[in-house]
mmCIF file of all heavy atoms in Angstrom:
data_model
loop_
_atom_site.group_PDB
_atom_site.id
_atom_site.type_symbol
_atom_site.label_atom_id
_atom_site.label_comp_id
_atom_site.label_asym_id
_atom_site.label_seq_id
_atom_site.Cartn_x
_atom_site.Cartn_y
_atom_site.Cartn_z
ATOM 1 N N PHE A 5 -1.170 -7.098 -13.212
ATOM 2 C CA PHE A 5 -1.823 -7.135 -11.979
ATOM 3 C C PHE A 5 -3.350 -7.396 -12.179
ATOM 4 O O PHE A 5 -4.136 -6.748 -11.540
ATOM 5 C CB PHE A 5 -1.605 -5.756 -11.198
ATOM 6 C CG PHE A 5 -0.224 -5.696 -10.652
ATOM 7 C CD1 PHE A 5 0.771 -5.033 -11.371
ATOM 8 C CD2 PHE A 5 0.120 -6.206 -9.441
ATOM 9 C CE1 PHE A 5 2.042 -4.878 -10.833
ATOM 10 C CE2 PHE A 5 1.398 -6.104 -8.900
ATOM 11 C CZ PHE A 5 2.368 -5.454 -9.622
ATOM 12 N N SER A 6 -3.678 -8.319 -13.012
ATOM 13 C CA SER A 6 -5.082 -8.630 -13.316
ATOM 14 C C SER A 6 -5.853 -9.105 -12.163
ATOM 15 O O SER A 6 -7.057 -8.851 -12.020
ATOM 16 C CB SER A 6 -5.227 -9.510 -14.543
ATOM 17 O OG SER A 6 -4.547 -10.734 -14.312
ATOM 18 N N VAL A 7 -5.223 -9.854 -11.238
ATOM 19 C CA VAL A 7 -5.958 -10.271 -10.034
ATOM 20 C C VAL A 7 -6.375 -9.057 -9.187
ATOM 21 O O VAL A 7 -7.509 -9.021 -8.704
ATOM 22 C CB VAL A 7 -5.079 -11.317 -9.189
ATOM 23 C CG1 VAL A 7 -5.787 -11.615 -7.896
ATOM 24 C CG2 VAL A 7 -4.884 -12.582 -10.014
ATOM 25 N N ILE A 8 -5.439 -8.151 -9.048
ATOM 26 C CA ILE A 8 -5.811 -6.899 -8.321
ATOM 27 C C ILE A 8 -6.879 -6.106 -9.091
ATOM 28 O O ILE A 8 -7.745 -5.571 -8.446
ATOM 29 C CB ILE A 8 -4.569 -6.067 -8.032
ATOM 30 C CG1 ILE A 8 -3.617 -6.807 -7.027
ATOM 31 C CG2 ILE A 8 -4.904 -4.663 -7.487
ATOM 32 C CD1 ILE A 8 -2.298 -6.165 -6.764
ATOM 33 N N GLU A 9 -6.802 -6.136 -10.366
ATOM 34 C CA GLU A 9 -7.836 -5.440 -11.142
ATOM 35 C C GLU A 9 -9.182 -6.032 -10.953
ATOM 36 O O GLU A 9 -10.218 -5.365 -10.986
ATOM 37 C CB GLU A 9 -7.497 -5.413 -12.648
ATOM 38 C CG GLU A 9 -6.262 -4.590 -12.957
ATOM 39 C CD GLU A 9 -6.427 -3.138 -12.439
ATOM 40 O OE1 GLU A 9 -7.513 -2.563 -12.660
ATOM 41 O OE2 GLU A 9 -5.480 -2.607 -11.944
ATOM 42 N N LYS A 10 -9.261 -7.350 -10.690
ATOM 43 C CA LYS A 10 -10.522 -8.011 -10.398
ATOM 44 C C LYS A 10 -11.022 -7.607 -9.036
ATOM 45 O O LYS A 10 -12.272 -7.580 -8.792
ATOM 46 C CB LYS A 10 -10.394 -9.514 -10.501
ATOM 47 C CG LYS A 10 -10.318 -10.048 -11.909
ATOM 48 C CD LYS A 10 -10.138 -11.589 -11.941
ATOM 49 C CE LYS A 10 -9.988 -12.005 -13.337
ATOM 50 N NZ LYS A 10 -9.777 -13.481 -13.435
ATOM 51 N N LEU A 11 -10.114 -7.274 -8.135
ATOM 52 C CA LEU A 11 -10.493 -6.881 -6.821
ATOM 53 C C LEU A 11 -10.900 -5.397 -6.772
ATOM 54 O O LEU A 11 -11.660 -4.974 -5.874
ATOM 55 C CB LEU A 11 -9.350 -7.066 -5.822
ATOM 56 C CG LEU A 11 -9.033 -8.526 -5.428
ATOM 57 C CD1 LEU A 11 -7.666 -8.585 -4.734
ATOM 58 C CD2 LEU A 11 -10.142 -9.086 -4.531
ATOM 59 N N ARG A 12 -10.480 -4.610 -7.753
ATOM 60 C CA ARG A 12 -10.727 -3.212 -7.749
ATOM 61 C C ARG A 12 -12.207 -2.829 -7.605
ATOM 62 O O ARG A 12 -12.565 -2.046 -6.727
ATOM 63 C CB ARG A 12 -10.133 -2.505 -9.042
ATOM 64 C CG ARG A 12 -10.385 -1.052 -9.165
ATOM 65 C CD ARG A 12 -10.036 -0.523 -10.507
ATOM 66 N NE ARG A 12 -8.627 -0.743 -10.798
ATOM 67 C CZ ARG A 12 -7.620 0.090 -10.439
ATOM 68 N NH1 ARG A 12 -7.901 1.161 -9.778
ATOM 69 N NH2 ARG A 12 -6.395 -0.265 -10.769
ATOM 70 N N PRO A 13 -13.115 -3.327 -8.452
ATOM 71 C CA PRO A 13 -14.526 -2.916 -8.366
ATOM 72 C C PRO A 13 -15.147 -3.167 -6.988
ATOM 73 O O PRO A 13 -15.714 -2.257 -6.425
ATOM 74 C CB PRO A 13 -15.213 -3.641 -9.500
ATOM 75 C CG PRO A 13 -14.138 -3.943 -10.475
ATOM 76 C CD PRO A 13 -12.955 -4.185 -9.641
ATOM 77 N N PRO A 14 -15.035 -4.367 -6.467
ATOM 78 C CA PRO A 14 -15.707 -4.602 -5.130
ATOM 79 C C PRO A 14 -15.010 -3.817 -4.059
ATOM 80 O O PRO A 14 -15.661 -3.340 -3.128
ATOM 81 C CB PRO A 14 -15.588 -6.132 -4.900
ATOM 82 C CG PRO A 14 -14.651 -6.633 -5.898
ATOM 83 C CD PRO A 14 -14.561 -5.647 -6.981
ATOM 84 N N LEU A 15 -13.694 -3.619 -4.107
ATOM 85 C CA LEU A 15 -13.033 -2.860 -3.103
ATOM 86 C C LEU A 15 -13.426 -1.330 -3.216
ATOM 87 O O LEU A 15 -13.545 -0.676 -2.183
ATOM 88 C CB LEU A 15 -11.503 -2.992 -3.204
ATOM 89 C CG LEU A 15 -11.006 -4.351 -2.754
ATOM 90 C CD1 LEU A 15 -9.444 -4.413 -2.954
ATOM 91 C CD2 LEU A 15 -11.339 -4.645 -1.307
ATOM 92 N N MET A 16 -13.593 -0.864 -4.437
ATOM 93 C CA MET A 16 -13.994 0.549 -4.596
ATOM 94 C C MET A 16 -15.440 0.701 -4.085
ATOM 95 O O MET A 16 -15.734 1.746 -3.534
ATOM 96 C CB MET A 16 -13.832 0.980 -6.016
ATOM 97 C CG MET A 16 -12.381 1.182 -6.372
ATOM 98 S SD MET A 16 -12.181 1.785 -8.051
ATOM 99 C CE MET A 16 -11.691 3.442 -7.745
ATOM 100 N N ASN A 17 -16.287 -0.309 -4.258
ATOM 101 C CA ASN A 17 -17.619 -0.249 -3.702
ATOM 102 C C ASN A 17 -17.582 -0.231 -2.195
ATOM 103 O O ASN A 17 -18.372 0.420 -1.565
ATOM 104 C CB ASN A 17 -18.464 -1.413 -4.234
ATOM 105 C CG ASN A 17 -18.914 -1.248 -5.646
ATOM 106 O OD1 ASN A 17 -18.999 -0.138 -6.187
ATOM 107 N ND2 ASN A 17 -19.242 -2.342 -6.279
ATOM 108 N N LEU A 18 -16.665 -0.974 -1.618
ATOM 109 C CA LEU A 18 -16.564 -1.122 -0.199
ATOM 110 C C LEU A 18 -16.019 0.127 0.437
ATOM 111 O O LEU A 18 -16.487 0.618 1.484
ATOM 112 C CB LEU A 18 -15.728 -2.350 0.163
ATOM 113 C CG LEU A 18 -15.463 -2.695 1.587
ATOM 114 C CD1 LEU A 18 -16.776 -3.133 2.232
ATOM 115 C CD2 LEU A 18 -14.415 -3.740 1.746
ATOM 116 N N MET A 19 -14.920 0.713 -0.141
ATOM 117 C CA MET A 19 -14.205 1.788 0.501
ATOM 118 C C MET A 19 -14.030 3.058 -0.308
ATOM 119 O O MET A 19 -13.344 3.943 0.109
ATOM 120 C CB MET A 19 -12.859 1.271 1.037
ATOM 121 C CG MET A 19 -11.997 0.685 -0.014
ATOM 122 S SD MET A 19 -10.467 -0.111 0.633
ATOM 123 C CE MET A 19 -11.113 -1.337 1.720
ATOM 124 N N GLY A 20 -14.544 3.067 -1.500
ATOM 125 C CA GLY A 20 -14.425 4.226 -2.343
ATOM 126 C C GLY A 20 -13.084 4.252 -3.082
ATOM 127 O O GLY A 20 -12.164 3.499 -2.743
ATOM 128 N N SER A 21 -12.953 5.134 -4.041
ATOM 129 C CA SER A 21 -11.724 5.204 -4.802
ATOM 130 C C SER A 21 -10.506 5.678 -3.946
ATOM 131 O O SER A 21 -9.424 5.145 -4.115
ATOM 132 C CB SER A 21 -11.871 6.039 -6.053
ATOM 133 O OG SER A 21 -12.206 7.388 -5.675
ATOM 134 N N THR A 22 -10.782 6.577 -3.045
ATOM 135 C CA THR A 22 -9.692 7.075 -2.190
ATOM 136 C C THR A 22 -9.220 6.004 -1.295
ATOM 137 O O THR A 22 -8.040 5.812 -1.084
ATOM 138 C CB THR A 22 -10.214 8.289 -1.398
ATOM 139 O OG1 THR A 22 -10.612 9.333 -2.315
ATOM 140 C CG2 THR A 22 -9.110 8.859 -0.509
ATOM 141 N N GLY A 23 -10.183 5.193 -0.705
ATOM 142 C CA GLY A 23 -9.803 4.113 0.136
ATOM 143 C C GLY A 23 -9.036 3.053 -0.581
ATOM 144 O O GLY A 23 -8.080 2.460 -0.100
ATOM 145 N N PHE A 24 -9.490 2.752 -1.804
ATOM 146 C CA PHE A 24 -8.757 1.726 -2.642
ATOM 147 C C PHE A 24 -7.366 2.187 -2.938
ATOM 148 O O PHE A 24 -6.414 1.420 -2.776
ATOM 149 C CB PHE A 24 -9.551 1.430 -3.930
ATOM 150 C CG PHE A 24 -8.809 0.545 -4.821
ATOM 151 C CD1 PHE A 24 -8.771 -0.819 -4.636
ATOM 152 C CD2 PHE A 24 -8.095 1.061 -5.921
ATOM 153 C CE1 PHE A 24 -8.024 -1.669 -5.481
ATOM 154 C CE2 PHE A 24 -7.361 0.275 -6.732
ATOM 155 C CZ PHE A 24 -7.337 -1.120 -6.565
ATOM 156 N N ASN A 25 -7.275 3.473 -3.335
ATOM 157 C CA ASN A 25 -5.923 3.945 -3.670
ATOM 158 C C ASN A 25 -4.995 3.937 -2.481
ATOM 159 O O ASN A 25 -3.837 3.624 -2.560
ATOM 160 C CB ASN A 25 -5.980 5.375 -4.282
ATOM 161 C CG ASN A 25 -6.565 5.403 -5.677
ATOM 162 O OD1 ASN A 25 -6.726 4.332 -6.280
ATOM 163 N ND2 ASN A 25 -6.831 6.544 -6.203
ATOM 164 N N ALA A 26 -5.565 4.287 -1.283
ATOM 165 C CA ALA A 26 -4.741 4.287 -0.105
ATOM 166 C C ALA A 26 -4.343 2.833 0.255
ATOM 167 O O ALA A 26 -3.153 2.594 0.622
ATOM 168 C CB ALA A 26 -5.521 4.862 1.103
ATOM 169 N N LEU A 27 -5.238 1.908 0.127
ATOM 170 C CA LEU A 27 -4.928 0.513 0.417
ATOM 171 C C LEU A 27 -3.820 -0.006 -0.569
ATOM 172 O O LEU A 27 -2.869 -0.656 -0.141
ATOM 173 C CB LEU A 27 -6.169 -0.360 0.311
ATOM 174 C CG LEU A 27 -6.129 -1.766 0.824
ATOM 175 C CD1 LEU A 27 -5.934 -1.769 2.357
ATOM 176 C CD2 LEU A 27 -7.396 -2.516 0.491
ATOM 177 N N MET A 28 -3.968 0.308 -1.849
ATOM 178 C CA MET A 28 -2.996 -0.154 -2.827
ATOM 179 C C MET A 28 -1.651 0.542 -2.556
ATOM 180 O O MET A 28 -0.598 -0.079 -2.726
ATOM 181 C CB MET A 28 -3.485 0.117 -4.210
ATOM 182 C CG MET A 28 -4.469 -0.905 -4.795
ATOM 183 S SD MET A 28 -3.916 -2.623 -4.586
ATOM 184 C CE MET A 28 -2.254 -2.576 -5.230
ATOM 185 N N SER A 29 -1.665 1.824 -2.292
ATOM 186 C CA SER A 29 -0.398 2.561 -2.011
ATOM 187 C C SER A 29 0.334 1.941 -0.866
ATOM 188 O O SER A 29 1.539 1.776 -0.853
ATOM 189 C CB SER A 29 -0.710 4.014 -1.761
ATOM 190 O OG SER A 29 -1.183 4.645 -2.948
ATOM 191 N N ARG A 30 -0.414 1.617 0.220
ATOM 192 C CA ARG A 30 0.185 0.979 1.410
ATOM 193 C C ARG A 30 0.768 -0.373 1.044
ATOM 194 O O ARG A 30 1.836 -0.757 1.458
ATOM 195 C CB ARG A 30 -0.785 0.903 2.504
ATOM 196 C CG ARG A 30 -0.215 0.335 3.773
ATOM 197 C CD ARG A 30 0.863 1.253 4.356
ATOM 198 N NE ARG A 30 1.446 0.640 5.578
ATOM 199 C CZ ARG A 30 2.668 0.844 5.930
ATOM 200 N NH1 ARG A 30 3.460 1.649 5.312
ATOM 201 N NH2 ARG A 30 3.119 0.215 7.021
ATOM 202 N N SER A 31 0.006 -1.146 0.247
ATOM 203 C CA SER A 31 0.466 -2.443 -0.195
ATOM 204 C C SER A 31 1.812 -2.321 -0.946
ATOM 205 O O SER A 31 2.711 -3.135 -0.761
ATOM 206 C CB SER A 31 -0.605 -3.137 -1.076
ATOM 207 O OG SER A 31 -1.728 -3.359 -0.407
ATOM 208 N N LEU A 32 1.874 -1.333 -1.843
ATOM 209 C CA LEU A 32 3.113 -1.142 -2.625
ATOM 210 C C LEU A 32 4.255 -0.710 -1.681
ATOM 211 O O LEU A 32 5.388 -1.193 -1.877
ATOM 212 C CB LEU A 32 2.904 -0.054 -3.651
ATOM 213 C CG LEU A 32 2.184 -0.479 -4.929
ATOM 214 C CD1 LEU A 32 1.803 0.688 -5.792
ATOM 215 C CD2 LEU A 32 3.048 -1.465 -5.669
ATOM 216 N N VAL A 33 4.010 0.132 -0.727
ATOM 217 C CA VAL A 33 5.078 0.560 0.210
ATOM 218 C C VAL A 33 5.572 -0.696 0.924
ATOM 219 O O VAL A 33 6.821 -0.859 1.091
ATOM 220 C CB VAL A 33 4.558 1.615 1.142
ATOM 221 C CG1 VAL A 33 5.535 1.821 2.344
ATOM 222 C CG2 VAL A 33 4.310 2.932 0.439
ATOM 223 N N LEU A 34 4.680 -1.486 1.477
ATOM 224 C CA LEU A 34 5.120 -2.678 2.195
ATOM 225 C C LEU A 34 5.895 -3.636 1.273
ATOM 226 O O LEU A 34 6.928 -4.224 1.640
ATOM 227 C CB LEU A 34 3.912 -3.403 2.794
ATOM 228 C CG LEU A 34 3.238 -2.669 3.941
ATOM 229 C CD1 LEU A 34 1.938 -3.332 4.284
ATOM 230 C CD2 LEU A 34 4.145 -2.581 5.140
ATOM 231 N N ALA A 35 5.411 -3.797 0.065
ATOM 232 C CA ALA A 35 6.059 -4.708 -0.925
ATOM 233 C C ALA A 35 7.429 -4.200 -1.319
ATOM 234 O O ALA A 35 8.341 -4.979 -1.610
ATOM 235 C CB ALA A 35 5.190 -4.923 -2.089
ATOM 236 N N THR A 36 7.619 -2.882 -1.352
ATOM 237 C CA THR A 36 8.877 -2.250 -1.749
ATOM 238 C C THR A 36 10.004 -2.624 -0.796
ATOM 239 O O THR A 36 11.138 -2.684 -1.222
ATOM 240 C CB THR A 36 8.730 -0.769 -1.914
ATOM 241 O OG1 THR A 36 7.719 -0.487 -2.879
ATOM 242 C CG2 THR A 36 10.028 -0.064 -2.262
ATOM 243 N N THR A 37 9.697 -2.884 0.442
ATOM 244 C CA THR A 37 10.708 -3.293 1.398
ATOM 245 C C THR A 37 11.360 -4.633 1.002
ATOM 246 O O THR A 37 12.462 -4.891 1.347
ATOM 247 C CB THR A 37 10.177 -3.388 2.853
ATOM 248 O OG1 THR A 37 9.173 -4.399 2.904
ATOM 249 C CG2 THR A 37 9.639 -2.071 3.322
ATOM 250 N N GLU A 38 10.588 -5.464 0.281
ATOM 251 C CA GLU A 38 11.087 -6.719 -0.168
ATOM 252 C C GLU A 38 11.617 -6.666 -1.614
ATOM 253 O O GLU A 38 12.534 -7.398 -1.970
ATOM 254 C CB GLU A 38 9.952 -7.800 -0.084
ATOM 255 C CG GLU A 38 9.445 -8.029 1.338
ATOM 256 C CD GLU A 38 8.272 -8.930 1.384
ATOM 257 O OE1 GLU A 38 8.345 -10.019 0.857
ATOM 258 O OE2 GLU A 38 7.205 -8.445 1.961
ATOM 259 N N ILE A 39 10.949 -5.867 -2.421
ATOM 260 C CA ILE A 39 11.348 -5.787 -3.841
ATOM 261 C C ILE A 39 11.533 -4.288 -4.129
ATOM 262 O O ILE A 39 10.491 -3.627 -4.543
ATOM 263 C CB ILE A 39 10.296 -6.467 -4.774
ATOM 264 C CG1 ILE A 39 10.241 -7.930 -4.341
ATOM 265 C CG2 ILE A 39 10.729 -6.342 -6.229
ATOM 266 C CD1 ILE A 39 9.251 -8.766 -5.097
ATOM 267 N N PRO A 40 12.677 -3.757 -3.936
ATOM 268 C CA PRO A 40 12.884 -2.292 -4.085
ATOM 269 C C PRO A 40 12.470 -1.738 -5.452
ATOM 270 O O PRO A 40 12.074 -0.571 -5.540
ATOM 271 C CB PRO A 40 14.395 -2.099 -3.830
ATOM 272 C CG PRO A 40 14.787 -3.278 -3.029
ATOM 273 C CD PRO A 40 13.899 -4.411 -3.465
ATOM 274 N N SER A 41 12.540 -2.526 -6.531
ATOM 275 C CA SER A 41 12.150 -2.027 -7.813
ATOM 276 C C SER A 41 10.695 -1.556 -7.913
ATOM 277 O O SER A 41 10.306 -0.837 -8.804
ATOM 278 C CB SER A 41 12.382 -3.149 -8.847
ATOM 279 O OG SER A 41 13.671 -3.594 -8.881
ATOM 280 N N LEU A 42 9.886 -2.056 -6.973
ATOM 281 C CA LEU A 42 8.449 -1.629 -6.991
ATOM 282 C C LEU A 42 8.220 -0.157 -6.706
ATOM 283 O O LEU A 42 7.201 0.359 -6.993
ATOM 284 C CB LEU A 42 7.710 -2.509 -5.941
ATOM 285 C CG LEU A 42 7.405 -3.940 -6.386
ATOM 286 C CD1 LEU A 42 6.896 -4.763 -5.178
ATOM 287 C CD2 LEU A 42 6.451 -3.989 -7.527
ATOM 288 N N ARG A 43 9.288 0.502 -6.245
ATOM 289 C CA ARG A 43 9.117 1.934 -5.966
ATOM 290 C C ARG A 43 8.942 2.703 -7.246
ATOM 291 O O ARG A 43 8.529 3.841 -7.259
ATOM 292 C CB ARG A 43 10.238 2.490 -5.134
ATOM 293 C CG ARG A 43 11.549 2.718 -5.839
ATOM 294 C CD ARG A 43 12.599 3.398 -4.942
ATOM 295 N NE ARG A 43 12.815 2.782 -3.688
ATOM 296 C CZ ARG A 43 13.797 1.912 -3.443
ATOM 297 N NH1 ARG A 43 14.632 1.554 -4.379
ATOM 298 N NH2 ARG A 43 13.912 1.321 -2.250
ATOM 299 N N ASP A 44 9.214 2.078 -8.420
ATOM 300 C CA ASP A 44 9.144 2.742 -9.697
ATOM 301 C C ASP A 44 7.700 2.696 -10.266
ATOM 302 O O ASP A 44 7.491 3.236 -11.328
ATOM 303 C CB ASP A 44 10.055 2.086 -10.691
ATOM 304 C CG ASP A 44 11.533 2.283 -10.307
ATOM 305 O OD1 ASP A 44 11.844 3.244 -9.611
ATOM 306 O OD2 ASP A 44 12.374 1.429 -10.719
ATOM 307 N N ILE A 45 6.807 1.997 -9.598
ATOM 308 C CA ILE A 45 5.419 1.941 -10.034
ATOM 309 C C ILE A 45 4.520 2.669 -9.025
ATOM 310 O O ILE A 45 4.923 2.905 -7.898
ATOM 311 C CB ILE A 45 4.855 0.503 -10.325
ATOM 312 C CG1 ILE A 45 4.763 -0.305 -9.034
ATOM 313 C CG2 ILE A 45 5.739 -0.197 -11.327
ATOM 314 C CD1 ILE A 45 4.054 -1.597 -9.202
ATOM 315 N N GLY A 46 3.330 2.955 -9.440
ATOM 316 C CA GLY A 46 2.412 3.631 -8.547
ATOM 317 C C GLY A 46 1.023 3.695 -9.160
ATOM 318 O O GLY A 46 0.798 3.120 -10.261
ATOM 319 N N LEU A 47 0.139 4.364 -8.491
ATOM 320 C CA LEU A 47 -1.253 4.558 -8.968
ATOM 321 C C LEU A 47 -1.439 6.065 -9.237
ATOM 322 O O LEU A 47 -0.995 6.899 -8.445
ATOM 323 C CB LEU A 47 -2.259 4.110 -7.934
ATOM 324 C CG LEU A 47 -2.206 2.618 -7.573
ATOM 325 C CD1 LEU A 47 -3.162 2.394 -6.387
ATOM 326 C CD2 LEU A 47 -2.628 1.768 -8.733
ATOM 327 N N ASN A 48 -2.145 6.378 -10.357
ATOM 328 C CA ASN A 48 -2.435 7.739 -10.583
ATOM 329 C C ASN A 48 -3.751 8.132 -9.819
ATOM 330 O O ASN A 48 -4.263 7.275 -9.079
ATOM 331 C CB ASN A 48 -2.546 8.022 -12.086
ATOM 332 C CG ASN A 48 -3.653 7.289 -12.768
ATOM 333 O OD1 ASN A 48 -4.635 6.815 -12.120
ATOM 334 N ND2 ASN A 48 -3.578 7.112 -14.099
ATOM 335 N N ALA A 49 -4.184 9.327 -9.984
ATOM 336 C CA ALA A 49 -5.368 9.800 -9.222
ATOM 337 C C ALA A 49 -6.660 8.894 -9.469
ATOM 338 O O ALA A 49 -7.504 8.789 -8.654
ATOM 339 C CB ALA A 49 -5.687 11.237 -9.547
#
């Protein structure tokens, strides 16, 4: 997920780490509806 890793610093500057984690978590939830295997990954604190 190196493209997302490139987005991490500016997004964390924009919305903080909590906002970034919430945005990524929501992206994963939405993506899981299409690719159920994605439920096995996540973000730590």
Side-chain angles (χ1 to χ4, degrees):
F5 287 95
S6 58
V7 171
I8 292 174
E9 292 306 315
K10 287 180 182 176
L11 287 167
R12 177 189 304 273
L15 289 177
M16 288 182 107
N17 284 338
L18 181 68
M19 56 187 59
S21 60
T22 303
F24 173 78
N25 287 352
L27 192 66
M28 280 309 312
S29 295
R30 183 65 182 150
S31 299
L32 280 170
V33 167
L34 291 170
T36 299
T37 62
E38 297 172 56
I39 302 177
S41 304
L42 285 169
R43 77 174 53 96
D44 296 334
I45 67 170
L47 298 172
N48 63 22

